[in-house]
Amino acid sequence: MNAVAAHRPQPARARAGAGLRVRLLGVGALGGTLAGLLRAGDVAGCSLAGVVRSTTAGRPAELLRGTEVLVEAAGAEAARAWVPRAVEAGVDVVLCSCGVLADPEFTRDLPEGPGRVLVPSGAIGGLDLFAAAARALDGRPEGPPASVVLTTTKRPAALGVEADRPVEVFRGSARAAALAHPKTANVAVALALATLGLDGVTVVMVADPAAAMTRHVVTMASPLGDYELSVANAVAPGSGGRTSAVTPWSVVTLLESLAAGHGAGLLVAPRRGTDSRHDTEDRT
């Protein structure tokens, strides 16, 4: 967010039932926070159309009636069940569990519209810069290649391990990270979609029992320059250390941008090609 946008006046509260009709899938740490903000009218231009629990019985087409945007905040399995149906029904989807995009079967079967799938930036920033540097390399067969490395440090419990000292628990591609740690690799997937693709970005996960916050460090080396971004986020209460407290606000800014008529986030469907990075349009 630039300095001008950061100091803009606070948006007026949405009237009940007015604005972009948003339905939430999931009522955990992320979904519960968003539900409270939408009910209070604190998401400009948006209203809460309803909440769907991942275990809700019924036909998705019926439950999505009257919905313009579905915010998925229920995990990969719920995303597999609901996102394709929402897209097919013409509902735009804000996909918070974007790790599911590492599954080739899911992306192969994802309809090309009429709804769209957007990935919020979540717990990381700077995707516009990293995307620009990666985009500049398109069509350059010669010269040194770019590299992108994400190092994420979390509490051991958030990574499903026990440790009494900092220990590296994973090193591999963003795709492999999402498949091995589907609940904690959403930042890796968002970064990969914006830059070198799911198989081109290296992810390192570190479990540190002394970690009071979740830390993400991105380093990118390219012919255009070398870039480094470091963020340390407070964790959301009730998330087991897996969700950063800033993540709901990333979704809020995306929803407010959509309600205002312009895009935000990473547009991953409709797709324009078969390459995972070219399936993405950065609108951060």
Side-chain angles (χ1 to χ4, degrees):
M1 181 180 292
N2 59 41
V4 174
H7 295 286
R8 70 183 185 276
Q10 290 297 310
R13 290 191 171 192
R15 299 189 308 276
L20 195 68
R21 296 185 299 276
V22 178
R23 192 173 300 272
L24 297 175
L25 174 60
V27 289
L30 176 55
T33 299
L34 290 169
L37 292 168
L38 284 161
R39 287 192 180 106
D42 288 336
V43 184
C46 299
S47 63
L48 182 63
V51 176
V52 179
R53 297 178 183 273
S54 59
T55 56
T56 298
R59 300 176 64 180
E62 296 174 354
L63 293 169
L64 289 169
R65 189 171 294 125
T67 301
E68 293 176 279
V69 177
L70 175 70
V71 177
E72 177 284 310
E77 289 307 310
R80 287 186 176 91
W82 282 84
V83 172
R85 292 170 174 83
V87 171
E88 194 170 37
V91 175
D92 286 345
V93 178
V94 176
L95 182 61
C96 297
S97 305
C98 63
V100 72
L101 295 171
D103 180 357
E105 184 175 337
F106 175 82
T107 55
R108 184 191 65 224
D109 296 338
L110 189 64
E112 295 190 8
R116 301 175 297 171
V117 177
L118 297 113
V119 174
S121 57
I124 198 172
L127 293 183
D128 52 351
L129 174 63
F130 294 120
R135 175 66 181 85
L137 299 177
D138 282 356
R140 289 189 180 186
E142 300 179 355
S147 65
V148 177
V149 179
L150 168 68
T151 302
T152 294
T153 302
K154 294 189 175 187
R155 300 171 184 173
L159 295 171
V161 300
E162 296 182 358
D164 57 6
R165 58 182 177 79
V167 57
E168 182 179 304
V169 299
F170 177 86
R171 181 182 292 267
S173 69
R175 186 186 303 278
L179 295 175
H181 299 274
K183 295 182 179 181
T184 58
N186 293 320
V187 164
V189 171
L191 175 65
L193 291 172
T195 57
L196 303 182
L198 292 166
D199 300 308
V201 170
T202 298
V203 176
V204 180
M205 293 185 177
V206 177
D208 185 354
M213 309 179 86
T214 294
R215 181 174 295 277
H216 300 289
V217 178
V218 181
T219 57
M220 180 175 188
S222 80
L224 274 70
D226 297 331
Y227 311 100
E228 182 171 339
L229 171 70
S230 177
V231 298
N233 294 316
V235 298
S239 70
R242 292 186 294 270
T243 302
S244 294
V246 73
T247 300
W249 296 100
S250 170
V251 177
V252 166
T253 58
L254 192 159
L255 289 173
E256 290 181 339
S257 293
L258 292 175
H262 54 85
L266 301 170
L267 178 62
V268 298
R271 302 186 297 278
R272 296 193 298 274
T274 57
D275 179 76
S276 61
R277 182 165 62 83
H278 290 99
D279 293 350
T280 310
E281 181 177 344
D282 184 79
R283 295 189 178 184
T284 301

